[in-house]
Structures are given as structure tokens and as C-alpha cells.
Amino acid sequence: MLKLSKKSEYALMALQSLGNLAAGERIAVPMLAEQRGIPKDLLAKVMQQLKRAGLVHSSQGVSGGYALARPLTAITFLDAVGPFEEALGLAPCVDRNSEGCDRADCCSLHDPMEALNRWLMAQLSTLSLAEFVAARPPVVHGCVKAPRQPTSMERRPLPCEA
Amino acid sequence: MLKLSKKSEYALMALQSLGNLAAGERIAVPMLAEQRGIPKDLLAKVMQQLKRAGLVHSSQGVSGGYALARPLTAITFLDAVGPFEEALGLAPCVDRNSEGCDRADCCSLHDPMEALNRWLMAQLSTLSLAEFVAARPPVVHGCVKAPRQPTSMERRPLPCEA
DNA sequence: CGAAACAGGACTGAAATGGTCCGATTTAGG
DNA sequence: CCTAAATCGGACCATTTCAGTCCTGTTTCG
Ligand code: SF4
Ligand code: SF4
């Protein structure tokens, strides 16, 4: 139920990498793909879609590449992942990409579903990418791993503590 | 990314219905299936699995059926849905049903993923079914819809309000 | 003994997913 | 002006997952 598509994962990777670029700098798909060790053609598609979603800017031609359209603090997890998730809603009755459910007005599960769905969406759209991936030091050649730091997720209070 | 499998949905339906049974009462699969308008054979499988998960008890023979093994307040959303979700984790590196990810120790996305995943799991396992489906009046023949009441989900504070 | 229920495996069709390939267009640099 | 390298974007394919059906047992009430 929670699994992200590979495209989403690649999108998050890309946005993370774009996040620690110097201002005005750009990075090309082949470079990105090699750094993260992921299929270049697929990443290319992902980037196109990110552009269409307005999250990144692109420049064509040799020495072209991508850059963030706005800082990671202004991109939510939902923004980043939304374009790649076919089934973003819990059930057909609360999903944008489905023609709904004919039982919707005769289903005692509908209201709870809708409520939970709305809550989850709210969570994911109040989580900025900057929070999610606490952007860390520059990329070492071939390996982008960085020392562990507690993310802001871990500091979010659980509902039962509220 | 959030979509539940049909089995999960059916499981939630079933547990909801079992929830407003009188003590000692049981209900059979064909009856349940007809009430909710869902395929009986599939629901049968779901019930078997719920039994294996220890959430319900069954009795065989004619006039057999299912009943809750414990009250809805003692069953979490994750309990109910877990057995039916192949891919419960956000990514391969944090999923029980996958052999992990070879890049796990060289991926700057791993730690954020793990953190978010843990947080989401915690959310789903602190949400009891009783909270989720604020169990409502008995089932009218052929239609189980009931008047709307605010669920406890809607009263959960958003992180940004905490 | 027979009808009705649970138990459970085998199987199928359809759809989503992850990935590849190829041709077209743009553009910096020699 | 020409070429290499990059973004575009459609077509295509293999694999897996999903939802659903079917069929054969076994239990148990009346
Ligand atoms: S209305 Fe009920 S059955 Fe239809 S999708 Fe929503 S929850 Fe599932
Ligand atoms: S380690 Fe990185 S690449 Fe591997 S699954 Fe986790 S997030 Fe995806």
C-alpha cells in the first residue's frame, strides 16, 4: 500500500541532487544517472515529467541540463511523487485517476476512507522535500552516502502524544 | 502509492461488519458478500487469511461463520491491512517482502526513506479500527450506508499545528 | 445422509510497472 | 556551418501483480 514507484524514487533522488547544486548550476541526465546507478533512459522520462509539473527547469543542447525551479523548501513530498503515482488514493472512491465507485453512496466504508485519505494527503503535503531529505554535503564521486542526521520526520509528534 | 488492494478493502468491510455483531453471534461469508455486493469467493479467501492472522475466529459446518477474535479497539489499521499488502514499505530497502537493496549503504535517500516509512507505520499502527470506522448502526438489508459522523481521524492534529 | 458452510490450491485475464529503443529537435563550441 | 551532446517524446516489450473464478475437500447441523 505504501510502495512508491521506481519513477517516484528516481524523482526524489534527482530532486535531492538538484538541491545541492550551486545557484545557476545545472546537471545533465547522464551524469545524474551514473551517480545514482540508475537507468538513464528512465530517468530522462522522469525529468521530463518533473519539468511538465513545473518543479524543474531545463536547458537543451550540449551542456544543457536541469535545475530546480524553486527551492526544496517550497516543494512538498506530494508534489514530487504525485506525477508518478497512478494510484495515489486509498480506494477508487477517493482517487483522482479512477472513475469513482458506484457503491460510494451505499458503503459504510466510504466516509472513513475519505477521512483517512484526506489526512494522509495532508501529511504528505505538509512535508517539504527539504525536511524529508535533509540535504547533505556534496556528492562524492560514485557514492552519495552521507553521515546520518536525525530528520525532521523523527521529531514529528505521534498523534497519540498530541 | 497509497492504494489498498481489494483484499484489504474487503477485509476492512468484513471487520466493520463483524464489529457490530452481538456477542456470540457469527456471520457467514455468503451473507457478508451479498450485503456488500462483493465477490463471495474472494471474500472467502480474505476471511481465511484474517483467521490465520488471528483477527477472527471461525466455526465450520452449516450455520458456521466468522466472529471477531478481539474487539475493534484492539485491532489496528495495520493489523487489518498488513496481511494483504504485498508491498507495505515505501521502497525495497525498507520492505519486509523484498530482498532489500544493494545500494542501501550508498544511497543518500535510504535514511530519509527509512525515517518516513517508520513514521507512517507508526501512524497506521496507532489507528485502531474502532477509530477508523466509527462503527455505526446495524446493517439495513442490501445497503449498509449510515448517517455521517465525524471520525476520530478528523480530529487528529496535523503536524503543522502541533 | 445431505445441505451449507469453511479450507485451500490451481488457474486465468487484465492491467500496471520498469525498462528499452529510436527518431527529432535544440544548442554550445570549434 | 557542422557536429556532438543534450533534452524531447512516442512506441514498444517483458515481467509481475491483481482480481477473480473454479474445483475439490472437510466439517457440522438438522
Ligand atoms: S465506496 Fe466503499 S467500496 Fe467503493 S471504493 Fe470507496 S470504500 Fe471501496
Ligand atoms: S536504498 Fe536508496 S535506492 Fe535502494 S531502495 Fe532504499 S532508497 Fe531506493
Side-chain angles (χ1 to χ4, degrees):
Chain A
M1 108 177 248
L2 292 180
K3 179 163 172 275
L4 293 167
S5 74
K6 283 297 178 193
K7 289 187 184 179
S8 291
E9 211 181 310
Y10 298 159
L12 290 171
M13 286 183 182
L15 290 171
Q16 179 181 44
S17 287
L18 293 192
N20 34 23
L21 246 47
E25 208 178 350
R26 282 165 299 176
I27 186 170
V29 166
M31 167 74 26
L32 252 182
E34 197 201 358
Q35 282 182 359
R36 316 296 290 229
I38 62 182
K40 148 176 116 61
D41 287 320
L42 189 47
L43 179 59
K45 287 259 179 51
V46 167
M47 296 313 291
Q48 290 175 31
Q49 216 160 336
L50 283 180
K51 181 202 170 88
R52 260 171 272 156
L55 302 184
V56 303
H57 288 147
S58 72
S59 33
Q60 285 192 333
V62 56
S63 88
Y66 290 92
L68 285 181
R70 53 181 199 261
L72 288 189
T73 52
I75 301 181
T76 76
F77 191 87
L78 195 58
D79 289 336
V81 146
F84 307 99
E85 297 299 328
E86 187 65 21
L88 198 43
L90 280 174
C93 61
V94 291
D95 196 289
R96 38 168 202 183
N97 302 336
S98 91
E99 59 285 347
C101 174
D102 43 353
R103 295 193 278 273
D105 54 345
C106 181
C107 172
S108 57
L109 216 54
H110 173 76
D111 292 345
M113 279 290 192
E114 197 179 350
L116 178 52
N117 195 66
R118 204 186 350 257
W119 183 78
L120 284 169
M121 294 300 212
Q123 299 304 308
L124 296 181
S125 61
T126 55
L127 175 64
S128 81
L129 278 198
E131 285 178 277
F132 171 63
V133 44
R136 285 189 279 269
V139 175
V140 192
H141 178 66
C143 181
V144 283
K145 178 82 175 194
R148 185 78 203 299
Q149 289 178 8
T151 76
S152 71
M153 282 315 301
E154 293 172 344
R155 290 192 301 273
R156 284 202 180 196
L158 294 181
C160 55
E161 302 168 353
Chain B
M1 105 180 247
L2 292 179
K3 179 163 172 274
L4 293 168
S5 74
K6 282 296 177 195
K7 289 187 184 178
S8 291
E9 211 181 310
Y10 298 159
L12 290 171
M13 287 183 182
L15 290 171
Q16 178 181 45
S17 287
L18 293 191
N20 33 23
L21 246 49
E25 207 177 352
R26 282 164 299 177
I27 186 170
V29 165
M31 169 72 26
L32 251 181
E34 197 201 357
Q35 282 182 358
R36 317 296 291 228
I38 62 182
K40 150 175 115 60
D41 287 320
L42 189 48
L43 178 60
K45 287 258 180 55
V46 168
M47 296 311 293
Q48 291 176 32
Q49 215 160 336
L50 282 180
K51 181 201 169 88
R52 260 170 280 166
L55 302 184
V56 303
H57 288 148
S58 73
S59 33
Q60 283 191 335
V62 58
S63 88
Y66 290 93
L68 285 181
R70 53 181 199 261
L72 287 189
T73 52
I75 301 181
T76 75
F77 190 87
L78 195 57
D79 289 335
V81 145
F84 307 99
E85 297 299 328
E86 188 65 22
L88 198 44
L90 280 173
C93 60
V94 291
D95 196 288
R96 37 168 203 185
N97 303 335
S98 91
E99 58 286 345
C101 175
D102 43 354
R103 295 192 277 273
D105 54 346
C106 181
C107 172
S108 56
L109 218 53
H110 173 76
D111 291 345
M113 278 290 191
E114 197 180 350
L116 178 52
N117 195 65
R118 204 185 353 255
W119 183 79
L120 283 169
M121 294 301 213
Q123 299 305 306
L124 296 181
S125 62
T126 55
L127 175 64
S128 81
L129 277 199
E131 284 178 277
F132 171 63
V133 45
R136 284 190 280 268
V139 175
V140 192
H141 177 66
C143 182
V144 283
K145 178 81 176 195
R148 185 77 204 299
Q149 289 178 7
T151 76
S152 71
M153 282 312 304
E154 294 171 344
R155 291 192 299 276
R156 284 202 180 197
L158 294 182
C160 54
E161 302 168 353

